[in-house]
């Protein structure tokens, strides 16, 4: 017997995800970033602040995004002056990613905006419980 929509974890997750994505998009619109642009900018910024200058493949792995789509979004971030691609001296076919001064100024502001949305969205659930559940769902092999 089929579950009712209110009893279906997948259906509830679908609706929760849609609500969360709308809230994130609303927070990022004033910063002129899409959700994917935010994720790639934030990941590049975070890696750069930890001494890493990733190539597109490493960034896609960190962000959990498709490599081809990552390349397209990075072009948009580059056009906006938020990210630069530099030739890797060790492999001239590869490009290393670095946030620009404008990207380094915007990334922490965008992260703060997204963290505010997350705090409101997940408020009904204890933070440790939410992180444990989502980590388990995101990485079931762990």
């Amino acid at each position: 017997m089929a579950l009712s929509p209110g009893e279906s974890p997948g259906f509830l997750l679908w609706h929760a995800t849609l609500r969360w994505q709308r809230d994130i998009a609303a927070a990022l619109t004033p910063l002129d970033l899409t959700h994917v642009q935010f994720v790639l900018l934030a990941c590049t910024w975070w890696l750069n602040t930890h001494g890493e200058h990733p190539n597109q493949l490493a960034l896609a792995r960190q962000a959990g995004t498709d490599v081809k789509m990552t390349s397209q979004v990075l072009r948009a971030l580059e056009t906006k002056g938020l990210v630069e691609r530099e030739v890797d001296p060790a492999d001239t076919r590869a490009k290393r990613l670095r946030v620009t001064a404008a990207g380094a100024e915007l990334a922490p502001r965008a992260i703060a905006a997204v963290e505010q949305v997350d705090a409101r969205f997940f408020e009904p659930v204890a933070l440790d419980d939410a992180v444990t559940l989502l980590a388990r769902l995101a990485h079931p092999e762990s």
Side-chain angles (χ1 to χ4, degrees), residues 53-54 78 84-89 91 94-98:
H53 290 78
E78 195 172 28
E84 291 179 339
R85 298 189 236 199
E86 302 167 338
V87 175
D88 184 345
D91 180 0
K95 303 276 186 175
R96 295 288 172 180
L97 302 169
R98 184 179 64 77

Side-chain angles (χ1 to χ4, degrees), residues 44 48 51-57 59 74-75 77-78 81-101:
T44 304
N48 285 181
E52 297 181 43
H53 290 78
N55 61 25
Q56 290 177 185
L57 179 59
L59 179 63
L74 283 170
R75 268 195 286 282
L77 291 172
E78 195 172 28
L82 301 173
V83 172
E84 291 179 339
R85 298 189 236 199
E86 302 167 338
V87 175
D88 184 345
D91 180 0
T92 55
R93 296 168 299 165
K95 303 276 186 175
R96 295 288 172 180
L97 302 169
R98 184 179 64 77
V99 293
T100 63

Side-chain angles (χ1 to χ4, degrees), residues 96-135:
R96 295 288 172 180
L97 302 169
R98 184 179 64 77
V99 293
T100 63
E105 186 274 325
L106 181 59
R109 288 186 15 227
I111 290 167
V114 166
E115 286 178 346
Q116 284 181 337
V117 169
D118 284 351
R120 281 192 312 271
F121 184 85
F122 292 105
E123 186 177 27
V125 181
L127 180 61
D128 289 344
D129 292 344
V131 170
T132 298
L133 173 63
L134 293 170

Side-chain angles (χ1 to χ4, degrees), residues 38-59:
F38 160 74
V39 169
L40 294 177
L41 176 64
C43 286
T44 304
W45 175 82
W46 188 86
L47 289 167
N48 285 181
T49 61
H50 287 82
E52 297 181 43
H53 290 78
N55 61 25
Q56 290 177 185
L57 179 59
L59 179 63

